[in-house]
Amino acid sequence: LFTAVIFFFLFNGVESSFIPLEDLMFEHRMYLPMVGICVLVAGLCFQILLYTARLWSRPVNISPLMFITFLMLCFIPLTTMTYAQNNIWRSKESLWTNAVTIAPNNDRTHTNLGNAYMSKQEYEKAKKHFEIAVSIAPDTAINRWHYGSALVYTGEFDLAKKEFEYLKNSLGRQVLGEYGLGLLSLKMGEFSTAEEILIDVWSKIENR
């Protein structure tokens, strides 16, 4: 049992590292350490069986097969759960739809689901989730950027312009805001304006 506990914490340390990570938890980091938990649970069940047998003064034939049986009882449900989880991971859309269901008040889940819809050119669906992300974290620049980009693709140019100007003037993200305005001008067919803005943006990036 001690070995199983050490195995869990040792490999969890390897998976998570000693360097601070952006995400507190991430399910794939638990795959290898969970082997230790399976062994621990199987061992505990085995010990409970022995204790119960001694309590009732009944002899128990100890065999490796019994321990393996308890171990398999742990692996079977975990394998079933992993198979079900793999269905969630089959695409970006299914993954982030599940994430939004679990954490509906997290702006990153909505942003990532919006990006999944953008990659499929489903711009109205993307806009909906970007808008939710903005409502949750209105001062997060990347949320404003994605929302403005979706508005460009849905043809809502006036609203897109407001988002990019807000990025530029209110959030202090001048380069990102101007880049959005350049892409907006390009989408509207104002090529000379777009060229002027984008050249200015590029020069600012080079001079950083």
Side-chain angles (χ1 to χ4, degrees), residues 81-101:
M81 292 168 64
T82 300
Y83 178 79
Q85 190 69 3
N86 284 339
N87 288 327
I88 295 174
W89 282 76
R90 70 182 184 274
S91 68
K92 291 181 180 180
E93 181 183 344
S94 60
L95 172 63
W96 291 111
T97 297
N98 181 68
V100 165
T101 302

Side-chain angles (χ1 to χ4, degrees), residues 108-125:
R108 289 177 60 196
T109 61
H110 287 282
T111 296
N112 288 324
L113 180 55
N115 284 329
Y117 284 128
M118 287 290 283
S119 65
K120 296 174 63 177
Q121 298 183 353
E122 297 182 16
Y123 302 124
E124 286 292 341
K125 290 182 179 179

